[in-house]
Amino acid sequence: MTSIMDHTKLIFLLLETVVAATAAGGGQWALLQRSIGVSAMHMQLLHNDRVVVFDRTDFGPSNLSLPVGKCRNDPDEKALRVDCTAHSVEYDVAANTFRPLMLLTDAWCSSGTVAPDGTLVQTGGFNDGERASRTFRPCDDCRCNWVEVPQALAVRRWYATNQILPDGRAIVVGGRRQFNYEFYPKSPDASDLRTIALPFLRDTRDAVENNLYPFVHLNIDGNLFVFANNRAILLDYTKNTVVKTYPKMPGGEPRNYPSTGSSVLLPLKPSPKEAEVLICGGAPMGSYVQALQSRGFVRALDTCGRIKITEAAASWSMETMPVPRVMGDMVLLPSGEVLMINGAAAGTAGWELARDPVLTPVVYRPERPAGARFDIQSPSTTPRLYHSTAVLLRDGRVLVGGSNPNVNYNFSGVEFPTELSLEAFSPAYLSPAHSARRPRIVTSPSPLRLSYGKRFSLQFTAGAVGDEGVRVTMVAPSFATHSFSMNQRLLVLETEAAAKAADSGTYQVMAMAPASAILAPSGYYMVFVVNGGVPSESNWAHIQ
Ligand SMILES: *[C@@H]1O[C@H](CO)[C@@H](O)[C@H](O)[C@H]1NC(C)=O
Ligand SMILES: *[C@@H]1O[C@H](CO)[C@@H](O)[C@H](O)[C@H]1NC(C)=O
C-alpha cells in the first residue's frame, strides 16, 4: 500500500510547486530562539508579555537544566524519577529571553484558561497530573512559579477542553473516556465536586475517538457551542440541557483529535446579534488506523465549515482551502482575519503519524465574499507537526513553537526531529510598506481599566486615517495546544469616528466596552487600533 503514500506525496509535491509559485510573499518569518530547551506543546501569553510554555514531564530529560540544585524527585514519574531538567519555561517577549520553570506533575495533553485576575489556571494531564490543577500567577521579577494541586479535579482529564465562563470559573469539558464536564475552581458547595454527564461526548466517539479536545466556544447568548467529531450542539451548562443540535457538517469527516482540525469563533461585530464559527482541516475517517498500521498517509482535509451558531435554522457553508491541513492552528489576527498555520498535508495527529509538513500559512478574510477569502503567505522552513502551537502577541506578531511527533526528544534518526525553537510570523500588516498607516496608541495607561458597557477613549498617532475610519478590536490571549486555542475571542468594538486633536498629530477615538461578561468574560485583553487593516501594537486592558 505504499502507492497511496507515493501518490499523496506526488500530488503534494505538485501542490507545493503551485503554492510556491503563487505565494504573494505575504508575511515574514523570524527565528527568535534556536532552542528554548523545551518543546512548546502548550503556550499561553500573559498580561505582562511573558508566554508560559510547557511540555510533558514523562519522556526523560529536556534540553534545559533547572536552576542549580533543583531537581524533580517524583516516585510516580514514568521516565526519569530524579530529573534536573525543566519541562516548562517562561518566555519574555520583549527581552527575547527565557527561564526554566518547575513543573512537577505531568501536564501532557492538558488544558487551560486565564482567570479574571490574570492567573493562568491549568488542569489535567496524564499519570500523576491527570487530576491536577496548576496555577501560574505572572510576575515581573522572575520569582513566580507553578503552584500545583495534584487532586483538584473530580476525575482524570486527558485531552479535555477548558473555556472561561462569564462568572470567572472554567468549565472543563470531556477528555479521554470522560463523557461529562466539571467546573474549576470548586466552590465549597458539594454539588460542585461532581461531574455532570454530557452524552453528546459518548455519541460522537468513534472507533479511534476523533472527538477529543472538543471545540468549545462561548456563544453570545451565554450557552456553549460544543463541536466533537463531525457535529455540534449548543449547551446550556447551567441547566445541563442541549438547547440546539446543529446539522452534521457536510461530508461527515472527523475534525477532532486524532483527526485534528481547528476551530475559531469568528470576530464578534459591535454589539453582536449573531456569532459564527469556522472549523477547518482535519483528517478523513480511517486516516489514523491507516497511518498506525503503516499503510500510508492519507491526504488531509482541505475543507472548512462555517456556521451562524445563533441562527434558528443554522446550516454549514463549506469552503475549500488552497492547501489541505491537519493539525493546523487557527489564530485570530487583530485585523479580524484568521491565520492558519502549522500542520501537515497527510496523516493524522499521534506519534509519527503525519507527513508532508505544510510550511505555508494561509490568511482567511471572513468579510470577503466566499471564493475570495484565502491568501497564501510566505513559507517557513521549519516543519511544525504534532505538538506545535501558535499564539498572537501584543505587537501583532504570531509566536510559533513546538512540534514533537516523537515519544522522546529525538534530534536525529527520526523523520521529524523534536523542535525546540521559537519563531515569529509577522503577518503582512506589519510590513514597513504600511508604516504610514500604522497607528500608535500614545496616551492611555496600560493596562486600561474597562467597565462593561462604558465608553473609553484611546489616543493614537497615525500618518493618515482613511475614510473608512479606524476600528478598535479587543482580543483575549488564548491557551494553545493540539491545534486548538481555548478561549480565543476577538471583539470589534462600537466606536465613534476618530477625531484629530487641534494643533497636534494625535487622534482620539471613543470606543464602547463590551456590554457584558457573556460577550467578554472578565480578565485581560489586548486592545488594538486598526487603521485600514493595519493594527497598532495593543494596550493591555482589564475588563470587569
Ligand atoms: C539537545 O541536547 C542534545 C543532547 O545534549 C543535543 O544532542 C541536541 O543537539 C540538543 N538539541 C538542541 C536543539 O539544542
Ligand atoms: C529517541 O530517543 C530515545 C531516548 O533518548 C531513544 O531511546 C531512542 O532510541 C531514540 N529514537 C531514535 C529513532 O533515535
Side-chain angles (χ1 to χ4, degrees):
M1 294 287 277
T2 49
S3 63
I4 289 181
M5 185 174 102
D6 293 347
H7 193 59
T8 310
K9 263 205 169 129
L10 182 65
I11 290 176
F12 188 70
L13 278 176
L14 290 172
L15 206 70
E16 274 285 80
T17 316
V18 174
V19 165
T22 57
Q28 267 206 322
W29 287 89
L31 181 66
L32 301 176
Q33 290 288 341
R34 194 188 62 82
S35 170
I36 56 167
V38 170
S39 194
M41 185 190 290
H42 315 78
M43 288 210 284
Q44 172 74 57
L45 172 69
L46 299 175
H47 69 274
N48 59 355
D49 292 325
R50 314 228 172 155
V51 180
V52 175
V53 178
F54 59 100
D55 197 356
R56 308 149 57 201
T57 59
D58 60 357
F59 55 82
S62 74
N63 273 49
L64 180 66
S65 297
L66 284 166
V68 176
K70 299 254 196 263
C71 298
R72 296 167 65 236
N73 190 338
D74 182 354
D76 296 322
E77 183 53 83
K78 300 268 187 200
L80 202 57
R81 298 216 164 121
V82 179
D83 182 356
C84 305
T85 67
H87 297 269
S88 176
V89 306
E90 181 193 56
Y91 174 71
D92 181 332
V93 177
N96 190 23
T97 55
F98 57 94
R99 68 177 174 107
L101 298 177
M102 176 67 104
L103 183 66
L104 291 170
T105 62
D106 195 352
W108 185 11
C109 300
S110 54
S111 43
T113 58
V114 179
D117 73 351
T119 301
L120 169 57
V121 179
Q122 204 277 306
T123 58
F126 185 66
N127 190 33
D128 62 355
E130 64 189 18
R131 287 180 55 203
S133 76
R134 306 172 194 87
T135 52
F136 184 90
R137 184 185 289 270
C139 64
D140 292 330
D141 61 3
C142 293
R143 298 174 78 146
C144 45
N145 222 313
W146 287 104
V147 175
E148 300 178 61
V149 180
Q151 307 291 325
L153 297 180
V155 293
R156 61 200 296 232
R157 300 280 175 190
W158 199 27
Y159 301 87
T161 297
N162 294 16
Q163 167 69 50
I164 185 84
L165 296 174
D167 66 7
R169 290 179 303 166
I171 184 169
V172 187
V173 182
R176 185 160 264 169
R177 290 184 280 279
Q178 295 297 348
F179 312 115
N180 55 58
Y181 57 89
E182 64 181 288
F183 300 95
Y184 192 82
K186 309 288 179 194
S187 70
D189 173 2
S191 69
D192 211 24
L193 298 174
R194 60 190 173 84
T195 65
I196 301 154
L198 186 57
F200 172 72
L201 294 176
R202 189 186 296 279
D203 300 343
T204 49
R205 181 179 191 244
D206 66 24
V208 298
E209 300 180 283
N210 279 335
N211 71 344
L212 298 178
Y213 279 124
F215 302 141
V216 179
H217 301 290
L218 175 61
N219 192 8
I220 57 172
D221 64 3
N223 293 314
L224 295 177
F225 174 86
V226 185
F227 183 99
N229 197 324
N230 55 16
R231 53 193 192 272
I233 55 169
L234 192 62
L235 174 71
D236 179 345
Y237 62 88
T238 64
K239 301 194 184 83
N240 191 26
T241 52
V242 174
V243 179
K244 191 186 297 197
T245 299
Y246 295 94
K248 192 182 268 192
M249 196 191 283
E253 301 291 5
R255 307 277 176 171
N256 296 83
Y257 181 90
S259 288
T260 304
S262 191
S263 173
V264 287
L265 179 70
L266 287 174
L268 296 174
K269 305 222 163 71
S271 307
K273 301 282 180 296
E274 58 181 40
E276 285 185 274
V277 166
L278 178 72
I279 295 174
C280 293
M285 216 175 295
S287 302
Y288 182 78
V289 172
Q290 192 147 325
L292 200 65
Q293 296 176 348
S294 306
R295 291 194 286 119
F297 301 93
V298 178
R299 185 180 192 262
L301 297 173
D302 65 358
T303 53
C304 299
R306 178 167 167 173
I307 190 168
K308 270 194 186 127
I309 62 173
T310 38
E311 248 173 31
S315 67
W316 294 97
S317 301
M318 300 306 288
E319 299 178 62
T320 305
M321 300 187 282
V323 227
R325 201 185 293 260
V326 60
M327 293 183 287
D329 282 88
M330 292 210 279
V331 180
L332 293 173
L333 299 177
S335 50
E337 292 147 352
V338 184
L339 179 71
M340 303 171 179
I341 196 165
N342 299 340
T348 74
W351 300 126
E352 300 180 61
L353 297 184
R355 293 294 183 273
D356 302 333
V358 180
L359 299 174
T360 43
V362 168
V363 166
Y364 176 87
R365 306 185 197 281
E367 291 171 37
R368 284 204 194 158
R373 291 180 178 147
F374 296 97
D375 270 334
I376 291 169
Q377 306 295 297
S378 311
S380 136
T381 52
T382 312
R384 306 265 181 196
L385 305 171
Y386 191 37
H387 295 150
S388 62
T389 44
V391 294
L392 177 69
L393 297 176
R394 187 175 61 79
D395 58 17
R397 291 178 300 161
V398 174
L399 181 67
V400 179
S403 186
N404 186 15
N406 315 299
V407 181
N408 299 101
Y409 275 20
N410 294 87
F411 303 98
S412 59
V414 289
E415 188 98 24
F416 297 105
T418 303
E419 196 46 71
L420 305 180
S421 66
L422 283 184
E423 284 177 285
F425 177 72
S426 294
Y429 55 55
L430 289 174
S431 144
H434 300 307
S435 30
R437 253 191 298 163
R438 188 174 329 284
R440 196 164 68 86
I441 300 176
V442 282
T443 56
S444 301
S446 194
L448 287 160
R449 300 280 163 195
L450 306 185
S451 305
Y452 289 112
K454 293 276 161 55
R455 282 163 21 123
F456 66 99
S457 71
L458 286 170
Q459 282 75 41
F460 64 94
T461 58
V465 169
D467 291 342
E468 74 275 34
V470 297
R471 273 182 171 188
V472 176
T473 60
M474 188 169 140
V475 188
S478 50
F479 183 90
T481 192
H482 289 76
S483 308
F484 182 57
S485 282
M486 302 173 195
N487 313 298
Q488 188 167 216
R489 204 171 189 79
L490 185 151
L491 299 101
V492 181
L493 303 186
E494 238 165 65
T495 47
E496 287 164 18
K500 197 166 192 171
D503 59 80
S504 85
T506 311
Y507 293 84
Q508 171 161 301
V509 62
M510 295 297 292
M512 179 81 90
S516 73
I518 290 174
L519 292 179
S522 177
Y524 287 91
Y525 290 77
M526 296 174 266
V527 172
F528 295 88
V529 174
V530 185
N531 183 18
V534 178
S536 64
E537 270 195 18
S538 59
N539 258 41
W540 283 105
H542 187 264
I543 189 163
Q544 61 186 25

